[in-house]
Amino acid sequence: MTETRGTASPSRRALIGWGSAGLALGAAAAGGAVAMTRTGNDVDPAGSATGVAVDFHGAHQAGIATPVQDRLHFAAFDVKTDDRAEFVQMLKDWTAAARRMTAGRTVGDGAFGGLAEAPPDDTGEAVGLKPSRLTLTIGFGPSFFEKFGLAGRRPEALVDLPRFPGENMDTSRTGGDLCIQACSDDPQVAVHAIRNLARIGFGKVAVRWSQLGFGKTSSTTPDAQTPRNLMGFKDGTRNIAGTETDRLKKFVWVGEGDGTDWMTGGSYLVARRIRMNIETWDRTSLQEQEDVFGRDKGEGAPVGKAKEHDEPFLKAMKPDAHVRLAHPDSNGGITILRRGYSFTDGTDGLGRLDAGLFFLAYQRDVRKGFIPLQRKLSASDALNEYIQHVGSAVFAIPPGVRDKDDWWGRTLLTEEA
Ligand code: HEM
C-alpha cells in the first residue's frame, strides 16, 4: 500500500504523515477519539471536534459506545459469492480500507496516485475532508449463517424478529446478510466510506438497501445537550452513556459464557425504519403531544418534574405514554442503547414527507432487549397513532478489530463450523 499521494490536500496529507502508531495513542478501547494536531496552515482554527479520528481498533467495535456523530449512512448487503476464501479476502480488504478511512486516509493507492490505466483505488470525494470522527461498524444478519457452512455458528440470540402489530414492512428495506453502519460528523465522509466498501465488494456483495440519517436522535454522552427528534422532543435523555462501563457490560456487550464465544465483546443491533405521520402530528395539540411521551416539549422534563434529568414518576404519566411503557421499571429492568437518526427521504407521492426515525438499538441479547420492549410498545403505545415501522433488520455485531493484523469477522470465520 502506498502511503502518500502528491495530490492529497494539506489536511489529508497531514493525517497520512501520522501513521497508525500515532493514531492509536491514548485512544480508549470503546471508541476513544484521538485529536489531530496539525502543522502549518492546516491548523483547525475553530479547534472543532471535526478533525478528530476515532480509533478503529479495540475490544469492541467503534460506533456503539462512541459519542454519537451527527450523520449516518447505513447499508445492508447481500452476499453474492459462494466462495468462502474470496469472501474472507473481501473482509480483509474491507478492514484495511476501513482502517485507513477512519483515520482520514484514502483507500489503497488513493484517488489520483495510482496507475493511469486502472480505476483509482479511492473514489476521491473525501479528499480534503477531515476524519470527522468516522466510525465503521460491521454486522452479520441471520441469513448470512445460511452461507459458507456457518449454520452451526449462528448465535442463539440472533433470532429473526417476530412480526409486531401495526407494522407495515417494505421488503425492499428489510433484512440483509451484512450491514455496515457508517457514522460521521460529515455526511460526505460517511457516504464516501459506504461507497468505497461497496466498490471493493463488487461481485462478492451487493447493496440490498441503505439509509441516510441526520440529526442524531440519541446521545451517548451524559453531559451533551440532548438532541431533538423530528417530533420536536428531546430524544436520548435516558440512555446508556459511552462512559458507563458497568451498564455497557451488563446490557450491551456480549459476555463470556453468553453462549457464543466468537461474539464475546460484540453486541446485537436492531435497525427499524420508523415512519412518522408528521402532518398528523403537526396538527396535534401540545397537550396531546406531551401526553404521548410523558414529558414536556420544552425542557424534556417528565410529567410533574421540573428538569429533563429528574427521575420520572411513571404513575403521573398516562398509562399509554411512551416513556412510561418503555422505562426499565415497567419492563423488569430491560435497558437498550439507542443510537438512532432522523431521516427525510423526499415525499411519498401523496403530498406527505417520507420522514421519521431510523431507530438503531444495541443490546446484549435481542430476546431480552428489543423484542419484549417492542411487544409492549406495539400493543399499547400512544405514539403508535403517529408512527409506523416500515423497515427492519437484526445483526450480530462481532467484537472489535484488535490490531493491524486483525480483520472484521475473524472470530466467526477462522474456526471451522
Ligand atoms: C419514532 C419512534 C420513536 C420516537 C419518536 C421515540 C421518542 C422517544 C422520546 C422522545 C423519549 C424520551 C426521552 C428519552 O429518554 O430518550 C423516548 C424514550 C425511550 N424510548 Fe423511544 N421513541 C421511538 C421508538 C422507540 C422504540 C421502537 C423503542 C424500543 C423498542 C423505544 C425505546 C425507548 C426507551 C427505552 C426510552 C427510555 C425510557 C426511559 O428510560 O425513561 N423508543 N423515546
Side-chain angles (χ1 to χ4, degrees):
M1 250 179 219
T2 310
E3 286 291 303
T4 52
R5 286 161 302 285
T7 42
S9 77
S11 61
R12 285 185 91 78
R13 230 180 4 241
L15 300 180
I16 289 160
W18 269 70
S20 54
L23 286 170
L25 275 178
V34 183
M36 294 288 154
T37 308
R38 290 155 208 284
T39 54
N41 59 5
D42 195 35
V43 172
D44 182 3
S48 81
T50 334
V52 167
V54 176
D55 192 9
F56 179 66
H57 300 121
H60 314 292
Q61 289 194 69
I64 304 171
T66 309
V68 183
Q69 302 91 326
D70 291 337
R71 304 295 183 121
L72 167 82
H73 192 184
F74 189 94
F77 295 84
D78 280 337
V79 174
K80 296 292 172 191
T81 179
D82 296 329
D83 184 338
R84 181 169 170 151
E86 184 182 49
F87 181 75
V88 165
Q89 186 55 51
M90 185 207 76
L91 285 179
K92 290 180 178 171
D93 294 344
W94 268 13
T95 311
R99 187 177 281 123
R100 288 180 67 91
M101 290 190 288
T102 51
R105 303 158 89 180
T106 49
V107 176
D109 283 338
F112 325 113
L115 286 175
E117 296 75 20
D121 285 348
D122 187 290
T123 52
E125 72 274 27
V127 170
L129 301 179
K130 294 175 179 172
S132 310
R133 298 198 299 129
L134 173 69
T135 54
L136 293 166
T137 314
I138 195 170
F140 299 95
S143 54
F144 179 73
F145 296 87
E146 291 161 19
K147 301 173 200 310
F148 308 128
L150 289 168
R153 291 178 69 76
R154 175 172 167 175
E156 267 184 37
L158 185 67
V159 292
D160 294 302
L161 296 182
R163 211 192 163 286
F164 297 98
E167 66 183 30
N168 183 18
M169 288 300 160
D170 173 353
T171 46
S172 65
R173 297 184 193 272
T174 299
D177 295 336
L178 299 174
C179 76
I180 303 277
Q181 172 197 277
C183 298
S184 169
D185 291 328
D186 184 330
Q188 188 143 323
V189 168
V191 169
H192 167 263
I194 293 292
R195 177 180 174 194
N196 279 269
L197 294 177
R199 186 179 171 283
I200 291 168
F202 183 75
K204 288 148 289 209
V205 293
V207 176
R208 181 182 171 93
W209 56 270
S210 68
Q211 181 67 56
L212 288 173
F214 64 92
K216 60 189 177 195
T217 60
S218 297
S219 168
T220 52
T221 324
D223 48 356
Q225 192 183 333
T226 312
R228 288 179 188 271
N229 60 31
L230 289 183
M231 289 173 155
F233 277 74
K234 291 185 182 174
D235 204 336
T237 303
R238 286 179 52 92
N239 204 7
I240 303 179
T243 46
E244 290 181 292
T245 321
D246 290 347
R247 292 180 82 213
L248 287 167
K249 195 171 165 199
K250 186 166 177 198
F251 297 115
V252 177
W253 306 130
V254 176
E256 279 175 33
D258 277 358
T260 314
D261 287 350
W262 69 265
M263 276 293 289
T264 303
S267 189
Y268 293 93
L269 168 64
V270 171
R272 305 281 283 186
R273 188 174 190 272
I274 309 178
R275 173 107 185 252
M276 291 174 179
N277 304 324
I278 294 278
E279 293 76 10
T280 315
W281 180 256
D282 292 346
R283 290 195 296 266
T284 303
S285 71
L286 178 61
Q287 185 62 58
E288 157 77 358
Q289 293 187 0
E290 295 186 336
D291 286 348
V292 162
F293 287 111
R295 287 182 174 270
D296 89 288
K297 198 167 184 177
E299 166 66 22
V303 174
K305 299 289 177 86
K307 292 283 170 205
E308 180 191 352
H309 291 285
D310 287 350
E311 195 57 37
F313 178 53
L314 300 179
K315 288 193 176 137
M317 298 174 185
K318 299 251 165 158
D320 58 357
H322 179 71
V323 164
R324 179 165 176 174
L325 292 174
H327 193 282
D329 288 355
S330 308
N331 298 287
I334 290 175
T335 306
I336 54 176
L337 186 154
R338 290 170 292 141
R339 218 182 186 281
Y341 287 83
S342 295
F343 70 84
T344 309
D345 293 335
T347 47
D348 66 358
L350 299 168
R352 298 176 304 201
L353 287 177
D354 180 4
L357 168 66
F358 189 64
F359 175 90
L360 294 169
Y362 286 90
Q363 59 241 277
R364 186 170 171 179
D365 188 332
V366 286
R367 297 166 301 179
K368 299 176 190 156
F370 177 80
I371 292 178
L373 259 186
Q374 181 55 19
R375 248 194 205 115
K376 173 171 270 180
L377 293 178
S378 62
S380 320
D381 193 351
L383 188 56
N384 292 339
E385 199 177 329
Y386 305 97
I387 61 168
Q388 188 165 50
H389 291 229
V390 294
S392 176
V394 58
F395 299 96
I397 306 293
V401 172
R402 288 178 312 196
D403 54 34
K404 66 180 181 33
D405 299 318
D406 198 5
W407 46 279
W408 268 337
R410 177 190 52 81
T411 57
L412 169 61
L413 285 145
T414 45
E415 286 145 286
E416 282 310 309

